[in-house]
Amino acid sequence: SFKSQDEILNNQVVKNVRVLGRMNMSLDFSIPPGWLHSIPELIRLCPDTRFILEHCGNVDPKAFFKSEALLGKPDHDREQWIADMKAIASERNVACGISGVVTRSPGYPLTVNNLAPAINHCLDIFGPDRVMFASDWPWCLKSMELRSWVNILKKVVVNRSYQDQKKLFHDNALKFYNI
C-alpha cells in the first residue's frame, strides 16, 4: 500500500509491476480519487501488465447528485474524476471493477437512482469489454447484503444489451483474469 501518490512511479514499484506482466498476472489497485491522475503513467510504463481499477475509481456517488444541499459536498471534483477516469481508460491494458459504490455511500439511501449515475459513467468510460462486476465482499456488508448490491447493479444495467450484461457479470472477468 502506498503512503503517497509519489510512490506509485517509484523505480522498484515499476519493476515489480512489470514482473507481474511477465508472469501473466494483473495488478488490481484501489486508490483515492485524488491520486487517479498518477496512474496512467504507471500503466504506460508497464504495457504487458493487466491493471484492474477497483471500486469504480473510488467514486463518491454524491458527485453526481443533482443537489448537494442536504448531503454535503462529495469528497472529489466530479469533472476531475471523469477526466482522470478517461485518461486511465485510454490505456488498452486496464479494466474497471464495478464495486465499492455501496461502501462509499453512507448517509443517504442506497438506491438505483442514487448509484446509477456514477456506475454508468464507469460503464460508459471503459466500455462493455473492460468492466467487470466485483462484490467488494465482505466490506459491502457494512452497507447492505450482497444480494441487494447485485440487484441494484442488475437494475442499473437492465437497458444495456444482454451481451454487455453477460460481459459485465461473467465474460470479462474470465478473459481478464485468464480463468
Side-chain angles (χ1 to χ4, degrees):
S1 105
F2 300 115
K3 291 181 176 68
S4 76
Q5 60 185 314
D6 299 330
E7 294 177 15
I8 292 171
L9 296 176
N10 172 287
N11 285 337
Q12 190 60 51
V13 170
V14 172
K15 286 179 186 176
N16 291 344
V17 173
R18 285 178 177 159
V19 168
L20 290 174
R22 287 195 296 273
M23 296 173 65
N24 199 26
M25 298 177 76
S26 63
L27 174 67
D28 293 32
F29 66 96
S30 175
I31 59 173
W35 294 16
L36 291 173
H37 65 88
S38 301
I39 293 299
E41 182 63 21
L42 176 64
I43 295 169
R44 281 190 289 276
L45 291 169
C46 305
D48 297 325
T49 302
R50 294 180 321 280
F51 292 83
I52 293 93
L53 173 58
E54 292 294 347
H55 310 312
C56 294
N58 281 307
V59 66
D60 183 345
K62 287 188 298 189
F64 297 94
F65 286 5
K66 301 231 185 298
S67 171
E68 298 173 357
L70 298 175
L71 300 169
K73 292 188 177 226
D75 66 4
H76 61 79
D77 178 74
R78 173 172 120 164
E79 298 308 317
Q80 185 62 55
W81 179 86
I82 290 171
D84 292 341
M85 292 292 280
K86 286 181 178 180
I88 292 169
S90 72
E91 303 301 324
R92 65 167 178 74
N93 54 327
V94 63
C96 184
I98 306 300
S99 62
V101 292
V102 298
T103 309
R104 298 251 310 133
S105 305
Y108 54 86
L110 299 174
T111 64
V112 173
N113 288 340
N114 286 344
L115 301 177
I119 293 168
N120 280 321
H121 273 286
C122 292
L123 297 173
D124 294 339
I125 289 169
F126 280 86
D129 295 321
R130 295 190 301 142
V131 291
M132 61 188 88
F133 164 76
S135 67
D136 196 20
W137 185 88
W139 305 111
C140 69
L141 299 177
K142 291 180 176 184
S143 301
M144 67 175 47
E145 292 181 1
L146 178 58
R147 176 184 313 205
S148 298
W149 159 228
V150 171
N151 286 334
I152 284 175
L153 186 54
K154 284 180 177 180
K155 289 175 184 172
V156 169
V157 300
V158 71
N159 292 322
R160 294 180 185 258
S161 74
Y162 171 77
Q163 188 65 25
D164 288 354
Q165 290 180 47
K166 189 170 176 277
K167 289 177 183 181
L168 170 67
F169 285 105
H170 180 268
D171 295 353
N172 290 345
L174 290 180
K175 178 179 71 174
F176 220 78
Y177 288 113
N178 292 317
I179 298 173

